[in-house]
Amino acid sequence: MCGILGYVGPQNVSEVLIEGLRKLEYRGYDSTGIAVFSKGDFQLYRSKGKIAALVEKIGSEKPQGHSGIGHTRWATHGKPSDENAHPHRSENLVLVHNGIIENHVEIRQELESRGVCFSSETDTEVIPHLMEHCVKEGMSIEDALYSCIAKLKGAFAIAVFSKQQPEKIYAAKNASPIILGIGQGENFISSDIPAILDHTRKVVVLEDGEVAMIDREKYWITDFDRNPIERDPKEITWSRIAAEKEGYKHFMLKEIYEQPRALADCLRGRVDEKQYLPALPEVSLPKLESMHRVILIACGTSWHAALVAKYWMESFIKIPVEVEVSSEFRYRDPVLDSNTLVILISQSGETADTLAAMTKAKPSGARMISICNVIDSSIARKSDDVMYTHAGPEIGVASTKAFTTQLTALALLTLAIAYQRKSISNAEVRDMTQQLLHLPSLIEECLDMNPHVEKLAKELIDVRDVLYIGRGSSYAIALEGALKLKEISYIHAEGYMGGELKHGPIALIDKDLPVVALVSGGPTYEKMLSNIEEVKARGAFVIGVCEQGDQKVQKQSRGILEVPQTSDFLRPIVESIPLQLLSYHVAEQRGCDVDQPRNLAKSVTVE
Ligand code: F6R
């Protein structure tokens, strides 16, 4: 986690850093800091808490200068505090870091034995001291950087500059994201694009194992062995406004409302609209001919998308599908071979556990396809093929549009493979592809229920627990609904398979336990009605999620969330919308920090 930012140019660097860090706060927000080179020395400001606390600490007289670095932190080593906030400094250097230095204890001991005093508990602080040590032995800053990174183990995206060369900022990357923003007479280093979009649209993405330097006029890149790398900037086409709230109270609500657009973008160019067949130019389908098994790997919400995809793939491709949590898969001895298709799902494309799972799967020769939102992210770059979800930047920590676009991409991929392998009839593929094209308007209809959901949310604001139940692919949506509620409202919630209640959890049911029941169609419709009866008989307050006009569910439920009528295929996507809205309104009415819930960060780039 953590966001890093660096700037060299004619503008007042304090303003550039503070405004840029606000756009990176989604990466972590337990402490922030900036270092500005001014009057021959670094002016360092660091504060526990969000950027507002830092701004208050700086006061009305912001340090004036033309080069500097900033950081917004999600703590890994050392509690959130002023001392542990970045930037960290030595006598002549300041540095910001995103990642974890795994061998920091050894380096620290060695430096301490040479008389170096540390002022924080962080792993990061070893880096400026190690570099300083090299400088004192006669190395240039550049030499010191190359020498130091050769000693570091772990993940790092760093930006560092020195008193001797204050208008040259260096960056180095291994396993944590970093980009360069290329302006006119000014240049930037950042963890992500929104932080620099006010200033430039020209971006260079650094790869693992690369070092870069920016000054006002130029940039250069080398590998860790100093071999020069030529890379031209790419033009970013996102609108700046896409990274802002556009009048919504929270990013999460804005992102829920963006779903019709996001889904349309995800479908765009991927359906042959004359024949109604999926057309995925980015996936080498012929290479999947001999595939006999699929493994879907992801974490959190992305894992829930994988669970839904398992139902689709087994039904339509008719081969065995397994779903794995990345953090478990990476430490097991999974049995894979070159005829296994591994599908990695990740909004950020930077989730450390999912990256490690890829590394684990690699030696088997399995083909890897990723479903990512962030373009050029590490998981996307490391896959054989990548399907981008095109959801646009997702800033709210709770994933919404990323989830439904992941499902849309997975549905397209399923149909494309099924068509290629002729595992279902062409007519069936055409029918479901046509259904997908109607998805944006179905979601639009779902959003009309927002005022109703807002009222219903009042019933849940004081409860202690909520149980979500579903069957089939709706079980995955029950899990997702429960995750969404607990992560932003801090109400304990669990997702359960309706049929499993009688094997234990039914003991929890009483009048104080609301049960959100997803009544999907298909073979388990009647079974879910029976599950509702079971919990009602024990006093539970049932909120039924069903299709419009379903009187059976209406009769049995105290609260109702009606979604437009749809097929079993699309239902999991459609019924996730009212659950997103419900979580949002419950959290909002409880006064929670919806976009930045406690203890969480948007991309989990540490283990
Ligand atoms: C929950 C949420 C997380 C992420 C998980 C994986 O709302 O967003 O559970 O889904 O951290 O992140 P990605 O998809 O970036 O790999």
Side-chain angles (χ1 to χ4, degrees):
M1 324 290 170
C2 305
I4 69 171
L5 191 59
Y7 174 76
V8 189
Q11 303 188 56
N12 180 15
V13 64
S14 304
E15 310 278 356
V16 176
L17 293 177
I18 287 167
E19 285 318 306
L21 287 175
R22 289 189 205 283
K23 314 256 168 46
L24 293 179
E25 253 191 330
Y26 74 91
R27 303 181 63 83
Y29 37 82
D30 62 40
S31 42
T32 49
I34 59 169
V36 168
F37 187 77
S38 178
K39 300 181 191 142
D41 201 356
F42 303 123
Q43 309 290 315
L44 198 61
Y45 293 87
R46 300 185 299 179
S47 173
K48 182 177 171 199
K50 294 187 183 178
I51 290 165
L54 178 73
V55 170
E56 200 181 313
K57 191 163 189 177
I58 295 172
S60 55
E61 292 194 15
K62 295 199 180 75
Q64 301 291 311
H66 298 288
S67 61
I69 55 178
H71 189 268
T72 176
R73 179 168 187 250
W74 187 84
T76 58
H77 290 60
K79 61 189 172 299
S81 68
D82 289 3
E83 297 71 36
N84 289 334
H86 299 213
H88 288 286
R89 73 170 292 178
S90 58
E91 198 181 322
N92 291 292
L93 297 154
V94 278
L95 175 140
V96 285
H97 166 224
N98 167 30
I100 290 181
I101 305 303
E102 287 170 3
N103 56 340
H104 72 106
V105 175
E106 296 90 299
I107 299 177
R108 192 178 181 120
Q109 280 165 355
E110 193 194 317
L111 289 168
E112 277 173 342
S113 72
R114 293 177 191 202
V116 173
C117 290
F118 284 80
S119 59
S120 79
E121 304 157 308
T122 64
D123 53 332
T124 303
E125 202 188 342
V126 299
I127 315 177
H129 288 304
L130 193 56
M131 283 182 68
E132 185 83 42
H133 184 72
C134 298
V135 171
K136 291 213 164 115
E137 285 189 336
M139 287 188 200
S140 67
I141 304 295
E142 244 167 80
D143 290 345
L145 177 62
Y146 287 105
S147 157
C148 173
I149 55 182
K151 296 194 175 94
L152 300 179
K153 286 195 192 138
F156 52 86
I158 58 177
V160 56
F161 75 127
S162 70
K163 274 193 214 167
Q164 285 78 6
Q165 298 177 323
E167 293 224 342
K168 280 184 197 285
I169 304 184
Y170 294 88
K173 166 174 164 47
N174 186 44
S176 298
I178 198 157
I179 59 145
L180 310 181
I182 310 304
Q184 289 198 326
E186 59 181 359
N187 287 315
F188 305 77
I189 289 168
S190 175
S191 296
D192 200 1
I193 294 167
I196 58 154
L197 270 189
D198 279 343
H199 308 281
T200 180
R201 295 183 162 272
K202 289 193 164 51
V203 165
V204 178
V205 179
L206 290 198
E207 299 286 344
D208 284 347
E210 291 181 349
V211 169
M213 189 283 306
I214 57 162
D215 61 18
R216 285 187 187 223
E217 300 301 334
K218 63 179 181 307
Y219 68 94
W220 53 246
I221 305 173
T222 71
D223 63 18
F224 282 0
D225 295 324
R226 295 172 172 248
N227 298 307
I229 292 167
E230 294 290 323
R231 191 169 305 140
D232 291 332
K234 285 185 190 164
E235 190 81 19
I236 296 300
T237 50
W238 298 348
S239 67
R240 186 176 55 80
I241 210 78
E244 292 172 6
K245 280 191 211 153
E246 289 174 1
Y248 287 94
K249 189 163 180 193
H250 296 99
F251 279 113
M252 181 180 177
L253 189 61
K254 170 179 171 256
E255 287 158 7
I256 291 173
Y257 269 85
E258 278 176 343
Q259 288 176 108
R261 196 271 310 143
L263 267 54
D265 285 351
C266 182
L267 290 162
R268 186 164 298 118
R270 289 174 167 155
V271 173
D272 172 341
E273 294 201 20
K274 280 197 190 115
Q275 300 198 65
Y276 290 118
L277 289 173
L280 303 182
E282 64 269 68
V283 179
S284 333
L285 292 167
K287 295 204 172 132
L288 304 181
E289 220 105 272
S290 58
M291 164 186 92
H292 57 59
R293 178 166 162 242
V294 177
I295 301 190
L296 295 145
I297 308 177
C299 303
T301 287
S302 301
W303 180 71
H304 298 152
L307 288 176
V308 174
K310 174 182 164 78
Y311 287 91
W312 289 335
M313 291 184 164
E314 286 183 345
S315 297
F316 309 141
I317 308 177
K318 302 187 193 297
I319 55 174
V321 179
E322 288 152 53
V323 179
E324 298 275 356
V325 170
S326 316
S327 55
E328 289 296 317
F329 181 87
R330 66 182 289 187
Y331 291 114
R332 290 217 331 270
D333 292 319
V335 182
L336 307 174
D337 61 25
S338 57
N339 292 324
T340 307
L341 170 63
V342 172
I343 302 177
L344 294 308
I345 308 166
S346 175
Q347 185 285 130
S348 61
E350 300 293 346
T351 300
D353 284 324
T354 307
L355 269 166
M358 283 184 100
T359 309
K360 183 94 191 187
K362 187 100 189 147
S364 67
R367 192 156 187 86
M368 300 207 217
I369 299 181
S370 64
I371 312 274
C372 292
N373 188 35
V374 177
I375 312 260
D376 266 348
S377 52
S378 305
I379 293 171
R381 290 200 307 275
K382 289 190 167 125
S383 322
D384 296 308
D385 297 321
V386 49
M387 272 185 84
Y388 287 115
T389 50
H390 300 310
E394 192 178 63
I395 309 295
V397 164
S399 196
T400 51
K401 62 178 179 168
F403 177 62
T404 48
T405 51
Q406 284 168 347
L407 289 174
T408 307
L410 285 160
L412 279 166
L413 182 61
T414 303
L415 293 179
I417 299 175
Y419 179 67
Q420 172 86 9
R421 294 167 73 99
K422 307 212 175 308
S423 48
I424 51 175
S425 71
N426 289 358
E428 284 172 297
V429 175
R430 281 204 178 89
D431 173 48
M432 284 187 278
T433 309
Q434 251 176 314
Q435 289 182 35
L436 277 175
L437 292 175
H438 290 126
L439 200 47
S441 57
L442 276 176
I443 303 299
E444 198 86 62
E445 266 188 70
C446 288
L447 292 170
D448 289 344
M449 74 175 93
N450 188 33
H452 166 71
V453 185
E454 188 173 357
K455 271 193 219 133
L456 185 62
K458 290 192 180 42
E459 306 264 7
L460 297 185
I461 54 177
D462 293 321
V463 304
R464 209 189 57 181
D465 315 280
V466 179
L467 185 65
Y468 287 70
I469 54 172
R471 301 180 80 130
S473 57
S474 295
Y475 161 60
I477 305 305
L479 288 175
E480 173 59 7
L483 174 62
K484 231 47 343 152
L485 188 71
K486 63 186 144 192
E487 70 181 326
I488 59 169
S489 73
Y490 318 137
I491 293 174
H492 170 241
E494 294 299 334
Y496 242 91
M497 296 171 185
E500 275 290 290
L501 284 181
K502 55 188 175 292
H503 298 292
I506 202 156
L508 292 171
I509 309 284
D510 65 15
K511 63 172 182 26
D512 296 323
L513 184 72
V515 176
V516 179
L518 291 137
V519 188
S520 43
T524 55
Y525 176 80
E526 298 292 340
K527 308 282 168 206
M528 270 307 294
L529 292 181
S530 308
N531 293 143
I532 294 182
E533 286 295 353
E534 284 158 20
V535 296
K536 257 185 72 184
R538 287 155 182 88
F541 158 24
V542 175
I543 296 178
V545 183
C546 63
E547 291 195 342
Q548 272 156 10
D550 187 330
Q551 292 187 356
K552 286 187 186 163
V553 180
Q554 281 171 10
K555 256 191 228 142
Q556 287 185 332
S557 311
R558 222 164 91 192
I560 196 89
L561 293 169
E562 284 182 306
V563 295
Q565 288 183 357
T566 183
S567 62
D568 291 349
F569 171 49
L570 293 190
R571 192 170 295 103
I573 309 182
V574 173
E575 66 193 1
S576 53
I577 308 299
L579 299 193
Q580 294 171 349
L581 288 168
L582 187 65
S583 307
Y584 171 77
H585 287 299
V586 173
E588 207 269 324
Q589 288 170 28
R590 280 165 66 91
C592 298
D593 191 343
V594 171
D595 284 333
Q596 296 181 337
R598 68 189 181 203
N599 305 339
L600 294 175
K602 185 67 187 163
S603 54
V604 187
T605 54
V606 292
E607 194 176 346

